[in-house]
Structures are given as C-alpha cells and as structure tokens.
Amino acid sequence: MTRVRRGYIARRRRKKNSSLVSGFKGAHSRHTRTINQQTIRALFYSYRDRGRKKRYFRRLWITRINAVTRENQIFDSYSQFIHNLYKKQSFLNRKILSQIEISNNIGLSKISYKIIKPNKVNEERLK
Amino acid sequence: MATTIPTSAFIATPHRCSTGRSSAIWVQKAQFSASSSSLGVSLSLKRPSLRLVSVRCEANGAGMPVIPAEERWMYEESEINGPDIWNKTWYPKAADHVNTEKTWYIVDASDKILGRMASTIANYIRGKNLATYTPSVDMGAYVIVINAEKVAVSGQKRSQKLYRRHSGRPGGMKIETFDQLQKRIPERIVEHAVRGMLPKGRLGRTLFTHLKVYKGSEHPHQAQKPIPLPIRDKRIQFVKK
C-alpha cells in the first residue's frame, strides 16, 4: 500500500476548538489533547452557568438591597422592605432596586418612605 | 416596568434629563449629603470615589462631555449616554476601591461582647453595609479596635473558652484558655474572632489586613481620622450581674 498522509484534516478539526480555550493557562491552551478536554469543560460550564448567572445576580442584588435597607433604618431588613413592596403591589424588581440605590443617594429611601408612610398614617387614624 | 408608586420622575433614565420634583423634605437624615437640587440620578456626593454617570443636563461637564450630533457615530453608546444602568449591573472599577480613600472606623472594645462586636466589624470590613457591595472586590472599610484587652465574654467563657493551635508536628497541639491568652497576647482574641467571620481565601486574607487591633487606647492612625463605628446591636454591651 502506498503511504497515505492524512494531511490537514486533523489540524482543521482541532483548530475549531482552540479558539474556545484561548487564554487558558499553560498546556490547557496549547496541547491538542488538553485542548480537547478543556473545550468540553468550557462548553459544559457555560451551559450550566447560563442558568446560574441568573441566580448569582439575583443574590447580589438582594445583598445590596439588604445593605442599604439596613443602613436607611426605615425598614429593619430586606425582608421587611420586600414584604411592604409586595403589599403595595409594586412591580419594581430587585435588579432595578439595586441599580437605583447605587446610582442615587436616596433613591431607595424615597421608595421606602412611599411604601411605609401610608401605613403609618392609617395606624394613626385608627388610634 | 410598571409600578404603582407615583413617580415624580425620581427614577431617571440616562437618556432624559429629569428633575426631581420633591425637594429636601424626603431627606430626613443628616447623613445623606445629597444636595437638594440634585435628585434623580446624580453624582453621589456621599461616595466620592464612585465613577458613575450623571444625568447629562445636570453634569455640566463633570465627567460627561457633550458630544455634537455629527460626531456621535464615532463614540460608543456608553460614552455618549453614560453606562447603561438598567441593563448592566454595576461593577466597581479600580477607582471605586482605592485603599487610600476608604473610611476608617474605630471601636472601643472595653466591655463589649466579643462575638457581637466581631460580627459588626467583619461586616464593615467586608463592605456589606454598602450599596456598592461586591463579593469579589474589596469595597470595605478599615477598622481600628482599641482597648482589646478589655473585651468581654459572657458566662464561663473567660475560663472555659479554649484557643487551640497546632505546630504541625505530632503531639504539637497547644491549648490556652481565654484568660491565659488575654494575659499573653490580648490582640489575638479579637483578631481570631474577626478572622473567623471574614471569608476564607485570598480576598479574605487581604480583608483581614484591614483590621487593626491595639491593646490600650493609643493607636497610630490619627492621620486617617477614624470615625466611631456605628453599632446597632443592642446587646453588645456587657452587663455584669
């Protein structure tokens, strides 16, 4: 049999993966076998973490809102604040709330006052 | 985004210049240093190192130059209108956590319950009291603790709480009671408590370096002008029975 070289077939196939792992440390972005393994991991993690990203950010927003709510001391905690928000049937979500509180000094306290004030007024009337 | 809260345009978008109708009546607390005219999205005066967009008509060149219409195509969206705050959660830039611009707090540990004090300290060091809290970035403050040898514990902990350490060799466990350690190295008690409450890892270790504990009431950080740490825990003061 004549000697058959496979040519560039394997290289072309592997080159597709190497863009996915560019920037990985050491052999993980250089050696073909580890590149193969690392692309599998990278794709797996990106698939899984697209769902987790949503969780992480919601967690971050909640922590930030909690921090500011406790500082403002209008409500005792994030849970009280959200409970009152829901009672007022507001549709403000946590992402917006946390961005308001970062970009605006008193945005969240203004919202808190608008939520809490009517209740206090009612309590005084009932007395 | 529908909301039943009547908006007096206090939720400003970066694209429109909105004037907050309500004035300083909403600002009840002295600690909010917002000037009465700049309500709505504004450069926050309370946090000087935050690099955020301000509403363009309010900015007046404070970081947001006006770009003429013919040149708009050359610039990116974020350079023209400022960062998109409704679609991108804020993440701190380097200028937002420069160590030299961080607040310094001071706590007097005399007759304070150890754990409760350590918990508040850890919160401030980590930055969990701030709106700009980010878990991956050191946004917290520095905390000085003085009179560390006078810290209090309740119950029998003074003679029963054990501090253990191991030298690594077999049989190398050393045990000390709270009392003995307080006589030997009183700062270590507070440090041990706070370190246990800070995250463990690279960032946690750098956070721990922001804690400064001193025996006695002298500390070498007068130049940083530390402010008293606001403690809201009502049961932090040790009451002798």
Side-chain angles (χ1 to χ4, degrees):
Chain A
M1 271 298 297
T2 43
R3 178 173 175 255
V4 177
R5 288 180 49 173
R6 286 171 298 183
Y8 52 78
I9 304 174
R11 186 164 54 248
R12 256 195 329 200
R13 190 185 70 233
R14 290 179 191 136
K15 226 181 166 172
K16 280 188 244 171
N17 289 345
S18 57
S19 60
L20 290 169
V21 295
S22 73
F24 283 28
K25 195 170 174 182
H28 290 184
S29 57
R30 289 178 181 78
H31 296 176
T32 53
R33 290 196 211 183
T34 47
I35 286 179
N36 202 18
Q37 294 159 4
Q38 292 307 311
T39 52
I40 296 172
R41 301 195 101 213
L43 292 170
F44 165 71
Y45 289 138
S46 74
Y47 176 76
R48 181 195 70 182
D49 290 339
R50 273 192 290 274
R52 298 218 175 162
K53 186 167 45 171
K54 303 161 181 58
R55 305 184 213 169
Y56 289 151
F57 275 105
R58 186 172 162 117
R59 205 158 68 160
L60 179 63
W61 300 325
I62 290 176
T63 318
R64 284 184 174 166
I65 297 171
N66 202 356
V68 175
T69 317
R70 282 171 198 263
E71 275 255 320
N72 289 345
Q73 289 178 291
I74 304 168
F75 290 103
D76 282 327
S77 65
Y78 162 85
S79 49
Q80 301 277 334
F81 176 64
I82 293 290
H83 177 59
N84 281 282
L85 257 185
Y86 281 7
K87 276 206 286 203
K88 291 282 146 223
Q89 294 176 328
S90 156
F91 287 103
L92 284 175
N93 62 13
R94 289 141 182 83
K95 171 170 85 170
I96 298 300
L97 287 170
S98 72
Q99 292 293 89
I100 289 173
E101 78 187 23
I102 286 185
S103 59
N104 187 337
N105 235 354
I106 51 178
L108 217 69
S109 66
K110 282 182 77 171
I111 298 176
S112 307
Y113 277 124
K114 295 211 179 201
I115 301 170
I116 201 174
K117 258 196 168 172
N119 279 342
K120 279 195 174 163
V121 167
N122 287 338
E123 278 170 33
E124 280 160 5
R125 280 193 195 149
L126 286 171
K127 284 176 196 168
Chain B
M1 157 186 90
T3 162
T4 57
I5 297 175
T7 49
S8 53
F10 70 91
I11 299 171
T13 67
H15 298 272
R16 269 178 272 126
C17 174
S18 58
T19 49
R21 275 303 165 64
S22 38
S23 62
I25 41 170
W26 290 114
V27 183
Q28 305 272 350
K29 296 184 191 281
Q31 53 176 291
F32 292 109
S33 59
S35 59
S36 55
S37 58
S38 61
L39 294 175
V41 178
S42 64
L43 272 176
S44 159
L45 297 173
K46 190 173 158 198
R47 301 179 273 259
S49 31
L50 263 190
R51 278 160 82 252
L52 281 175
V53 71
S54 56
V55 178
R56 272 194 38 197
C57 52
E58 275 182 297
N60 279 339
M64 282 293 301
V66 178
I67 301 172
E70 315 87 57
E71 291 173 23
R72 289 268 163 88
W73 59 271
M74 289 197 274
Y75 293 87
E76 284 179 17
E77 151 89 28
S78 60
E79 286 170 325
I80 304 172
N81 290 323
D84 182 5
I85 53 170
W86 304 124
N87 287 317
K88 258 196 170 261
T89 304
W90 183 81
Y91 192 82
K93 304 214 180 242
D96 295 322
H97 56 272
V98 187
N99 277 346
T100 43
E101 286 168 17
K102 290 192 177 154
T103 3
W104 282 69
Y105 292 102
I106 186 164
V107 196
D108 186 350
S110 353
D111 287 336
K112 292 222 162 50
I113 300 280
L114 173 63
R116 289 175 185 274
M117 182 184 73
S119 171
T120 350
I121 292 176
N123 260 349
Y124 276 86
I125 292 185
R126 195 156 182 222
K128 285 201 98 173
N129 55 309
L130 302 171
T132 52
Y133 166 72
T134 317
S136 54
V137 170
D138 175 12
M139 302 292 295
Y142 286 77
V143 177
I144 307 169
V145 182
I146 52 173
N147 290 321
E149 76 280 7
K150 302 203 183 98
V151 78
V153 284
S154 59
Q156 305 295 320
K157 288 196 266 282
R158 200 161 276 277
S159 53
Q160 287 184 353
K161 180 171 170 65
L162 297 176
Y163 286 88
R164 294 161 216 266
R165 57 187 199 280
H166 202 284
S167 66
R169 283 145 164 251
M173 173 118 114
K174 309 265 173 66
I175 309 182
E176 256 178 325
T177 58
F178 182 97
D179 230 345
Q180 293 163 348
L181 186 58
Q182 201 169 48
K183 286 199 197 91
R184 208 164 66 94
I185 311 175
E187 296 93 341
R188 196 178 281 186
I189 288 181
V190 176
E191 288 176 351
H192 185 275
V194 177
R195 194 194 284 121
M197 298 185 185
L198 287 173
K200 325 284 181 293
R202 220 188 291 178
L203 181 61
R205 288 190 287 274
T206 35
L207 290 179
F208 177 67
T209 58
H210 294 339
L211 171 73
K212 317 277 180 192
V213 186
Y214 297 100
K215 192 167 62 170
S217 48
E218 296 298 317
H219 66 90
H221 306 289
Q222 301 294 350
Q224 277 67 35
K225 304 196 189 78
I227 52 182
L229 186 77
I231 295 179
R232 290 207 203 103
D233 192 342
K234 294 185 187 115
R235 294 164 63 188
I236 200 173
Q237 209 53 35
F238 179 60
V239 178
K240 285 188 186 144
K241 285 173 192 168

